[in-house]
Amino acid sequence: MASTTLIRTFNSTFGSQPHTPSGSHTEAKRSSIRCEAVGLRPTQVTTVKNGNDSLEICRVLNGMWQTSGGWGRIDRDNAVEAMLKYADAGLSTFDMADHYGPAEDLYGLFINRVRRERPPEFLENVKGLTKWVPPPVKMTSTYVRQNIDISRKRMDVASLDMLQFHWWDYSNNGYLDALKHLTDLKEEGKIKTVALTNFDTQRLQIILENGIPIVSNQVQHSLVDMRPQQRMAELCQLTGVKLITYGTVMGGLLSEKFLDTNLSIPFAGPPLNTPSLQKYKRMVDAWGGWSLFQALLKTLNQVAIKHGVSIPTVAVKFVLDQPSVAGSMVGVRLGLSEHIKDCTAIFSLKLDEEDVSSIQEVISKGKDLQKVIGDCGDEYRRA
């Protein structure tokens, strides 16, 4: 079935109308918007693909938001050593952003260590995904190019493996201009794949209709936040765009550390002392509160004990098994703590029907965050 036919099917289901601004890519390019993920070694890696654009990534990604401050002081040399340790364990895909403090610079140091100290085939498996989060100013070709060149220089790569684009204000459709310029840079070889982060279903559809070869959309997705499995997953399954998820262990809330705790009593439970813990505690409150969250943790703990793994391992595996999910993020506090054992255990874990049913029974008792918050990414755009 042709891509345009697939989107018309989505339109008829959800009532969206195509939108094609002046200067957008032509109908001839629209035939390339079919994407697909092909698992080379299904448990560990997958390939996100759109037309001739493809990128093999590890299904468990190392998230580097934690280098931006608020999680403890990061020592540069220790951080690079930790990155090498993750890569040596097969966790060789790193996710960062232009605004994650020194993340891109650390990747540049790390990739040079890899070039010097590891064989060429090892280097081929290492991937660096970054994000560009510009202010809503006029998106000229020069402006876009200059900003992408900054990331290329910081990461010390000729071509960015993946550029994930974020846009704050949908009322300003300059995001289409920016994505067109990013596509031009891809065709020049400065970017290998173009992707999105925190875009909603409506805007993803518009972008695809304008011939932009998007391979993935990075969105918040966890057992508490199942919004991506609604309208977003419907469109992704029709077009083949894949999801990369973050917040999947909710900053550490989905772990044994918070099992059997009562945060309503001051100083009684573990402190919510990082930006991610504070952020995802708000999601718990919106979803159903701490008591229901404890019921979820107890269920996850039972599943984890049954399989000899940890609660975070179960939480990530459940999301990885959802439709259209190519990969899930686990944050890394480089040089401060590590989760290599829990992450590698995800690849061999198989949740059976009893496991899935028991987890779904609990999460079904929570509120539908699509109705509370809105679609994917709407939490960043609410007044």
Side-chain angles (χ1 to χ4, degrees):
M1 184 181 292
S3 299
T4 51
T5 303
L6 289 171
I7 289 182
R8 288 193 197 104
T9 302
F10 187 78
N11 286 340
S12 66
T13 303
F14 292 103
S16 299
Q17 294 299 318
H19 174 70
T20 308
S22 59
S24 64
H25 282 207
T26 64
E27 181 69 32
K29 290 192 176 182
R30 290 181 187 170
S31 61
S32 69
I33 68 173
R34 173 69 195 176
C35 317
E36 58 184 338
V38 181
L40 302 181
R41 286 171 286 146
T43 61
Q44 189 160 356
V45 299
T46 193
T47 300
V48 291
K49 182 176 174 65
N50 185 320
N52 294 324
D53 304 338
S54 66
L55 187 72
E56 181 182 299
I57 61 171
C58 181
R59 295 203 71 203
V60 177
L61 299 89
N62 305 310
M64 295 179 67
W65 181 31
Q66 285 77 2
T67 66
S68 62
W71 287 265
R73 183 180 177 275
I74 298 292
D75 176 84
R76 184 190 69 178
D77 294 338
N78 289 342
V80 173
E81 286 291 341
M83 293 174 76
L84 285 167
K85 191 171 182 180
Y86 274 91
D88 286 339
L91 301 165
S92 55
T93 300
F94 295 83
D95 179 88
M96 64 212 83
D98 59 342
H99 62 289
Y100 286 3
E104 291 184 334
D105 301 300
L106 290 171
Y107 184 85
L109 295 170
F110 157 74
I111 202 66
N112 273 296
R113 286 280 303 274
V114 172
R115 289 167 182 152
R116 294 194 307 267
E117 302 172 14
R118 300 294 188 275
E121 58 269 23
F122 187 98
L123 178 62
E124 291 177 6
N125 290 330
V126 175
K127 301 298 188 303
L129 286 51
T130 195
K131 306 180 195 76
W132 183 39
V133 185
V137 298
K138 186 173 179 59
M139 293 289 114
T140 65
S141 176
T142 299
Y143 182 77
V144 174
R145 182 181 299 271
Q146 288 174 342
N147 279 274
I148 297 312
D149 283 346
I150 291 171
S151 288
R152 291 171 56 237
K153 182 177 181 180
R154 292 179 69 191
M155 296 173 67
D156 201 8
V157 293
S159 180
L160 300 176
D161 290 323
M162 179 184 286
L163 190 285
Q164 301 166 106
F165 177 71
H166 175 89
W167 190 251
W168 293 107
D169 182 9
Y170 290 146
S171 67
N172 177 350
N173 66 3
Y175 65 88
L176 291 167
D177 296 324
L179 285 164
K180 178 184 180 299
H181 297 316
L182 291 172
T183 302
D184 291 340
L185 291 174
K186 176 190 68 67
E187 292 171 355
E188 291 178 22
K190 293 190 174 184
I191 299 170
K192 294 177 183 175
T193 54
V194 177
L196 304 173
T197 181
N198 291 315
F199 270 77
D200 66 7
T201 309
Q202 180 183 347
R203 255 54 62 158
L204 172 58
Q205 180 182 349
I206 290 170
I207 290 164
L208 292 174
E209 288 169 349
N210 280 274
I212 308 296
I214 298 300
V215 298
S216 62
N217 186 21
Q218 186 178 136
V219 294
Q220 183 172 292
H221 191 354
S222 68
L223 290 163
V224 165
D225 188 357
M226 295 292 289
R227 288 177 296 160
Q229 291 307 314
Q230 297 187 41
R231 297 185 72 242
M232 181 64 68
E234 292 276 356
L235 181 59
C236 287
Q237 288 178 282
L238 285 170
T239 62
V241 172
K242 294 298 173 180
L243 300 175
I244 295 175
T245 75
Y246 67 88
T248 309
V249 296
M250 304 188 72
L253 286 178
L254 284 168
S255 69
E256 287 80 0
K257 182 177 181 179
F258 287 90
L259 178 64
D260 295 324
T261 61
N262 186 352
L263 297 188
S264 65
I265 303 174
F267 309 110
L272 301 177
N273 57 359
T274 69
S276 52
L277 285 173
Q278 293 159 14
K279 172 183 178 179
Y280 295 116
K281 172 56 165 60
R282 292 192 292 271
M283 285 291 162
V284 169
D285 294 341
W287 171 70
W290 197 250
S291 177
L292 182 57
F293 188 70
Q294 282 298 307
L296 176 59
L297 285 179
K298 289 175 182 176
T299 298
L300 294 175
N301 191 49
Q302 291 170 355
V303 175
I305 291 172
K306 170 182 170 181
H307 292 280
V309 296
S310 68
I311 288 176
T313 297
V314 175
V316 174
K317 178 61 175 176
F318 186 95
V319 170
L320 277 177
D321 286 345
Q322 300 305 302
S324 297
V325 174
S328 291
M329 203 87 57
V330 177
V332 289
R333 300 175 67 179
L334 299 170
L336 300 176
S337 63
E338 69 173 48
H339 309 288
I340 291 176
K341 182 179 178 181
D342 285 344
C343 288
T344 55
I346 295 166
F347 302 128
S348 57
L349 175 61
K350 293 184 178 180
L351 299 177
D352 59 34
E353 290 183 10
E354 180 185 24
D355 301 329
V356 173
S357 177
S358 64
I359 294 169
Q360 287 178 333
E361 182 180 355
V362 181
I363 63 178
S364 67
K365 296 176 182 177
K367 295 177 183 177
D368 180 355
L369 292 185
Q370 183 102 357
K371 296 178 180 177
V372 176
I373 298 172
D375 201 0
C376 298
D378 282 358
E379 61 269 29
Y380 297 103
R381 299 177 180 88
R382 294 192 300 174

